[in-house]
Amino acid sequence: MIPLPTRSSAPTTTEASAWADVLVRRRLLHAAVLAANGQWLVQHEPDGPVHVLAGPADIVELAATIQHRIRSTRARTP
């Protein structure tokens, strides 16, 4: 497996907001909302529990995890 390049800076709120918007628009998440304290409230399904993520890095990591899962599933499909 090819190692991912390392980041030169921490993810920003703007970057996290962009990823959150993509995940919700593509229906990979039901909701992702930035709270006033900088945490993110994320819900995978309409009736599912709300998860609290600490900050922008967690949203970017979630996006990477979802993207990896999608790519792994596609690679196994004939």
Side-chain angles (χ1 to χ4, degrees):
M1 187 171 223
I2 300 170
L4 297 174
T6 56
R7 291 183 64 104
S8 59
S9 62
T12 64
T13 300
T14 302
E15 180 182 3
S17 293
W19 276 111
D21 184 54
V22 167
L23 293 172
V24 171
R25 274 191 294 117
R26 298 285 182 164
R27 296 185 175 149
L28 299 168
L29 285 179
H30 174 68
V33 178
L34 176 61
N37 64 359
Q39 294 178 323
W40 286 84
L41 307 175
V42 176
Q43 192 175 28
H44 293 274
E45 299 172 359
D47 296 327
V50 174
H51 300 277
V52 179
L53 303 180
D58 291 331
I59 287 287
V60 172
E61 183 177 334
L62 176 61
T65 299
I66 290 170
Q67 188 176 38
H68 177 73
R69 185 175 40 217
I70 290 169
R71 287 181 176 170
S72 296
T73 303
R74 284 184 185 162
R76 285 187 233 136
T77 305

